[in-house]
């Protein structure tokens, strides 16, 4: 959360469209992968310079340019110039703290999303910004670092499986978005598993560490929500786009839209659940406290009267007839044991023992 | 909740329309029941192969094909091909974790709902997905397992009671949906009974088990809400459908719509009620704690001063005139008893006893 | 709440329009009262058979048929047939757990409301369903039991006071609804009085019984809200009805609408108030606990040090010079009294006493 | 709140338009003040009978009739007849518990508001209903008692300052409403001052009286909100009124509208603030409790071990070598002082002292 | 918050358009800076009298008049007269407690915002009102005191960097608003840093001071929200303005709009976070209390039984055989040590130690 706004500081006062990479540099080298295909042809190349792929823009085949790494602002400026992209759009691509959104421009449509993943410690949630610019027959995607979840799509393109090669760039974009959204389910599912374990902890080990875990979960859920919730509106905007999306593809976008609604439901449920876990935690703390108090009460309630009796016969009055009775001492022990046993029964009866 | 998203993992990366059964296989054998009727005729057959019922599609009679069990994806693909169904629709039929929804296609309308039931332990709520595809004069229904609540509808079809045989497939769908929704009332009513019992428990036995029961109820209510709430929108969509639903049937759909609103009201009330029960539970815990503290305070407050007095006369000063008095010992007892009785009155006065 | 859904069970699986009385039978005998009037004439009869009033339907005078008791479903079916009423409408009349609503049909308008009252114990709130069917020049009203709040309207009809006899059935319906809504104010006012008393109790007698009263109030408020809140929408629907309501009457309906808004405001305020009372209750419980703890602390803090001093001089060391001092014993008493007084001052200073 | 609905009871069953004064009679004598002016003329008279001002209705000058006191229902009926006012409107004027609202009629517009003030005790908030009926060139205002905040407007009319005399009745109404709304700021500001003092009290004197003050504030805020919140909608309705309000005046109404929004913001903020003060109060109570517990724990933890040691050397065993040591007694004192000092350090370390 | 409404009091009863400076005078001298430019020319002057810049209004170049300090109401009245500004607009400029808003007039558009900053103590948030009036080719800005964040814009104008000099007054306004909004991120980021530190404090030092800090943060967040939230609507109004804003500039306004949405998200997150911190604080308080109780319980539970044993052998019965045993004393010590060690193990087992 803090991370999200922190780096924007560097930009305050700069004119709009100033290309500054806002975010942590997550990769050393920028990799440009270009896939160009139609129903019959397929080429996949890694370009050294961005200029190498410019000639594909006007080719009739579908071209997918994928750029991993955002730090080379000059290269992105060149790309923007060639594809005639609005400076604000490029600014949004480079600002990795941007809210997911879609925006329609004259000749292209812009979409920026978060790719969610599970961290190496199997506990934290990672987030990477992925932006798409969809043109008539080209798609440019920007990622913060190499390595993504699109390999299944690439394989299908390579092997010409399914109807991916027969359809255009709009359908390719849908497939990539669908893959990202499917991955959201993996993340919320994982989140769900961890939360379930927390539930047990909260009641049985209501320690400060448990509380901190609950708080950490809450924050993560807020971040997940911030990544997923705005996608709903973004998909709506794409659905209304009449130029670049074919009617057939829109039915598929509708499907993605429904998945986002289902994800939002799941997130709300998780939020409720974390609220319940907090209740369990507080209840667990309170139970422990009650147990402490019970122990104190039982011990004190048993021994204070006994000590009193012992105190009575420790008095030094000259005339205390009991002290001289033959069975006085035994009698006092008997009395004390009777009180002890009586108390135990009393507590059993109260279900404190 | 966790169950809901878990199996979707298996699908990540697959192209849309890939027919994969998402959910637990709930039956061993798939059963296909075909009922074909009009005002005068009625036939009911169990088909071995899905192809056996294909010829009914173009017959003028109303045909209801009911399929119990979803694991045979090949058969469902064949069905989809013959009835010209959209691959995304079939995907939704097979994904048993789908949110209830209705969707209008060119020649047919799709509706998927949850059938809620009461588990064998009379405590838990069961959920089964039921999907309907309504065509001009046919209705296909998919269930996860055999056994449903539609027998009363089947009986009326068989015996030609009422006007069910005189009306078309749209009215049949309404009747099936109405039966499902009526059953929701049975479930919320049952839920209500259990909750009422919880209310007493919460105040009188505020134990960890009670808390866990409250939490379990809360989770179940969330699941009931997730099953019922979206039906409202789905029915709205059906009401707007101008091709397949006759005006007369729409008035009936309106009635179902109102029932869903009433169910949602009931669910909200239940949610409030569970919140109140949580308050009662916390209050019960607090009462128990107070009782423990009172016992401690009463015992300590009575005996600590008495022990002090005994301690005083246990001192070994050479000059303690009281020790030699004739009635010293008796006097001390009298004092102690007076303090004891005074304390008891004090506590009675404070209403602690 | 539970009552509301309970009896619906009996209906599950029945076809729509099956006339089953859902609710408790609240009267032994059905009473049919028919009032027929215009500006000059007025007749009031009690019919034995529903058929006796059928001839009035087509008379030009305004006819008000009031039926007390809903168990005779056959009679209601006959009525429905003669007045050409939709089966779903009759079903709604008989289902006394229906949500308040208005529905426009071709030739008539249906309205169902709850009549709220104060129980004989002056504490609980009673609820009775009243349904109206308004035709061109007739009005049919259904009540669950005899006895209502409409006597002032009947008197005005009989004595031809005001302009009630000069206006049509739509204005009569408005007057009956207005009477019901005015009565809602009586109920919320009564509720308010009881709540005010609770407020004092909550802080001063924070006992379990008080908590249970608060919870009971909360539940009742939910029921009041469920009876009143949907009326707002129902009145809206009537206002839009262009066939049966004259423009002049609509201005009056607007007035009822505003009353409902004011009632909803009052209910929200009551809800807040009950929340505050709950806070007071919890605060009262906490105050009592604090008092208990203070008593314990004061007693223990005073006497534990004194007991220690007594203990010291109860030791049996051979060489304890104080024991032999002339004023040793007195000195110890002086010390102990000084500590006692000091402690009292300390507690006074802390405002614990 | 209770007051608001209480007197409506008297009206239940009466026909609409029955003129009954609902509210407390707040003045003995009714005062009718008539101000008649245009750019050149100005007359101000106090009429004995309402009929005395009827001739002004059709004069071209602007006429402002102000009536203080609502108990003379006959007089108001006469006024209604002459100005052709709808009976429901007059009913609303007389019902001093009405929600603020505006309503457009054929020839006039009705507006009813609450005038808020600060009670004589400088703590409570007073509320008085003010209703306005605006005609083409006349304005009638009704107040519950004499004395208002309009004197600055009257002065400006008398001295012909500003452009008040040059504009019509619509602008006069705006100026009166603006004065009322400006006064709301005075009230919320005063409320704010009192709340700020509460904040300190809550943390430092968390007594029952403080809690009751917080609750009283909460109730008052609800009443303020009920007076101010609906004004927003009322002003909206006036803004849409195209007959009586000139375009220029509407810009001014817009300004009032913005003030109401700002007031609503302030009220929301106050609500949050009172919630925070409640948190502070609860925290203060908890702090006091903790302090009590700490005192008990410190005293008990120090003296219980010391008493034990004294008890040991008070045992009567024949063979207790320590008792005969020369420095035995001193040694025990040394041990006890060491324990005492150690404990003090321990508590200092724990920051309990 | 209190500050916000306080000074409005002075205005109650004044006619609309009365120019009164509502707010604290934040500067001694008023400074008028005039920048006049087009693509080729650039002049920057500090005017002594407002009249000196009047001739620029009708020049074709873009003119930016910036006024620091609002106390000279006469000067502002003159300005209003020359630029034909509505009196309510000038009133809003002078009322420094106004809610951010935009309003379209015939020939110009009015926008008022809050400039947020970080106080010198690096903890508090400062707020200054900035108002803009945008005409065809001129922009007037009003600030409460000299010193602002616009220097980067001025530099770009001076050096003719970027396309600022090539575009009109609408783009200049956008740039100034964008600078203010960018600064909001700096403030929320700073706020975020402070909150993060609070989170640690809350759990580890749950003292009253921490609570007060949390409350202070909450209030500040309310103020930040009140400054930023309404900007969203204001920007919307500008976007719809078709006269003064060019289509190209509107795309940039859209960008600002998105930033405001993101800021609102951040503020909501902060609110949640402060709620969580409050939970942590309460949990921390409860933990401390539990620790106190544990110490008491451990000490009391160990020593009360031991004291009892000592008490038993301090009794003065004549026949107590143990007292004469050779190893009696040692045996008692052994027993007491055994109890002590046993208790320690018990507590270890319970994880209280």
């Amino acid at each position: 959360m803090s991370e999200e706004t922190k780096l924007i500081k560097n930009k305050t006062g700069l004119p709009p469209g100033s290309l500054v990479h806002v975010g942590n540099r997550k990769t050393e080298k920028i990799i440009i992968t270009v896939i160009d295909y139609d129903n019959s042809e397929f080429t996949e190349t890694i370009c050294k310079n961005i200029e190498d792929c410019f000639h594909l823009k006007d080719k009739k085949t579908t071209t997918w340019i994928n750029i991993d790494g955002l730090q080379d602002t000059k290269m992105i400026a060149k790309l923007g110039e060639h594809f005639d992209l609005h400076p604000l759009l490029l600014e949004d691509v480079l600002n990795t703290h941007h809210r997911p959104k879609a925006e329609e421009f004259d000749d292209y449509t812009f979409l920026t999303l978060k790719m969610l993943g599970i961290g190496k410690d199997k506990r934290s949630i990672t987030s990477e910004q992925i932006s798409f610019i969809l043109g008539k027959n080209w798609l440019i995607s920007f990622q913060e670092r190499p390595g993504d979840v699109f390999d299944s799509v690439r394989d299908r393109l390579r092997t010409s499986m399914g109807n991916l090669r027969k359809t255009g760039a709009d359908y390719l974009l849908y497939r990539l978005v669908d893959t990202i959204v499917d991955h959201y389910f993996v993340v919320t599912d994982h989140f769900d598993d961890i939360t379930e374990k927390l539930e047990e902890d909260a009641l049985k080990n209501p320690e400060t560490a448990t509380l901190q875990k609950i708080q950490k979960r809450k924050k993560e859920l807020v971040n997940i929500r911030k990544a997923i919730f705005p996608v709903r509106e973004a998909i709506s905007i794409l659905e209304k786009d009449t130029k670049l999306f074919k009617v057939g593809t829109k039915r598929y976008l509708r499907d993605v839209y429904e998945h986002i609604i289902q994800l939002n439901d799941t997130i709300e449920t998780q939020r409720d659940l974390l609220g319940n876990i907090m209740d369990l935690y507080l209840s667990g703390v309170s139970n422990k406290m009650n147990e402490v108090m019970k122990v104190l009460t039982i011990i004190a309630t048993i021994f204070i009267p006994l000590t009193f009796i012992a105190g009575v016969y420790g008095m030094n009055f000259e005339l205390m007839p009991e002290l001289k009775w033959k069975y006085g001492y035994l009698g006092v022990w008997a009395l004390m044991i009777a009180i002890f046993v009586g108390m135990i029964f009393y507590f059993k009866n109260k279900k404190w023992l």
Side-chain angles (χ1 to χ4, degrees), chain A residues 311-325:
Chain A
V312 165
Y313 294 104
M315 290 195 293
N316 296 322
F317 286 98
E318 292 194 342
L319 271 167
M320 286 177 70
E322 299 96 323
L323 296 182
K324 280 151 195 166
W325 293 352

Side-chain angles (χ1 to χ4, degrees), chain A residues 94-121:
Chain A
L94 290 173
N95 175 359
T96 60
H97 305 308
H98 209 287
R99 207 173 176 257
K101 72 155 183 176
E103 199 173 355
E104 220 185 321
F105 288 81
D106 283 344
D107 295 321
Y108 46 86
T109 289
F110 175 59
L111 174 69
T112 180
L113 300 173
K114 303 290 172 200
M115 176 71 224
L116 296 182
I118 300 162
K120 279 179 188 161
D121 58 353

Side-chain angles (χ1 to χ4, degrees), chain A residues 133-145:
Chain A
I133 306 168
L134 172 70
K136 205 177 152 62
N137 58 350
W138 47 267
L139 175 72
I140 308 174
S141 57
F142 299 89
Q143 306 189 38
E144 289 187 67
R145 70 178 145 235

Side-chain angles (χ1 to χ4, degrees), chain A residues 60-83:
Chain A
K60 280 197 175 168
T61 51
T62 305
T63 309
W64 171 21
I65 303 165
N66 181 62
I67 297 164
D68 291 328
L70 299 172
Q71 64 268 45
D72 188 350
T73 55
K74 279 185 194 163
M75 183 205 81
I76 285 165
K78 269 188 225 157
L79 184 78
E81 215 172 308
H82 184 78
F83 281 84

Side-chain angles (χ1 to χ4, degrees), chain A residues 335-350:
Chain A
L335 175 65
M336 294 193 299
I337 288 164
I339 287 171
F340 185 90
V341 171
M343 283 292 187
I344 296 291
F345 269 97
Y346 176 78
F347 292 133
K348 287 253 175 196
N349 194 30
K350 288 245 172 195

Side-chain angles (χ1 to χ4, degrees), chain A residues 238-256:
Chain A
L238 296 187
E239 273 194 273
K240 280 173 214 142
D241 182 329
T242 48
K243 284 171 306 191
L244 294 165
F245 282 91
K246 287 161 211 139
V247 175
T249 312
K250 279 187 189 174
R251 172 80 69 183
Y252 288 98
L253 280 179
R254 186 84 216 154
D255 194 54
V256 173

